[in-house]
Amino acid sequence: MNKKVLTALAVAGIATAAMATDVSADTYTVQTGDTLSSIATNHNTTIDRIISVNKITNANLIFAGQQVELDDQAVAPVAQQTPVQAAPVQQAAPVQAAPVQAAQVAPVQQKPVQAQPVSTAAASGSTYDQFIAAGGNAAMWQSIVMPESGGNVNASNGQYHGLGQTNQSWGHGSVASQTAGMLNYANSRYGSVDNAISFRAANGWW
């Protein structure tokens, strides 16, 4: 039996001229927008028959250009335009674009990067531990010490010194003495450590 390929005409809105009818035709080339239902209807066969003959495992998944075997009773339809017009519906294949939306979740994973400053504080190791042990707190370390000195107890720009970058004598010396000096300064000048933190955030200095 000679196999002939029937190609669906894709001219929207215009019924095709009568196509050659060949009772022996048993192969069809899938066109964009085709479904097993439309192919079965246009070739006087059934979806189950096409699935069985072609051993199709997913009746909802066929591809343009795919060769579909039809049973010997199949006859080419006079007009195949209606199924072709249904193409936009079947081009719902863009549903495969859904994974792209999944990729948009990736930026959310970038948020933990903002947590790096916390690890930067901890990276100071014993200096941070000594600061906390001397009465300092994590908020003061993050909002004042890190912006001012980067957690370096010996930091100096020629005028200001230490963890809190001050020109006071307590800007020199041990972590404990500098921490005590910063706490006293925050409470005496701003009324509390929280007020000092707020002032530093608003003005860029304290």
Side-chain angles (χ1 to χ4, degrees), residues 42-158:
N42 294 329
H43 294 280
N44 297 329
T45 185
T46 66
I47 294 175
D48 290 341
R49 177 63 180 165
I50 295 176
I51 291 175
S52 174
V53 170
N54 293 275
K55 295 181 175 55
I56 295 175
T57 57
N58 186 343
N60 296 312
L61 184 61
I62 57 176
F63 307 91
Q66 179 179 342
Q67 297 293 308
V68 177
E69 295 291 329
L70 305 172
D71 53 308
D72 295 339
Q73 300 303 315
V75 178
V78 174
Q80 296 179 336
Q81 280 315 113
T82 302
V84 174
Q85 292 174 344
V89 177
Q90 293 307 317
Q91 288 176 346
V95 172
Q96 296 175 343
V100 175
Q101 296 178 340
Q104 295 175 348
V105 178
V108 178
Q109 297 176 343
Q110 294 177 349
K111 290 183 178 179
V113 175
Q114 298 176 345
Q116 288 182 346
V118 176
S119 17
T120 301
S124 303
S126 62
T127 299
Y128 174 77
D129 293 337
Q130 291 176 55
F131 176 82
I132 297 300
N137 59 43
M140 189 176 194
W141 177 272
Q142 281 295 89
S143 303
I144 296 180
V145 174
M146 292 304 293
E148 291 289 346
S149 67
N152 182 357
V153 69
N154 296 313
S156 174
N157 66 1

Side-chain angles (χ1 to χ4, degrees), residues 20-35:
T21 301
D22 189 341
V23 177
S24 66
D26 60 357
T27 302
Y28 173 71
T29 300
V30 177
Q31 303 297 308
T32 299
D34 280 347
T35 64

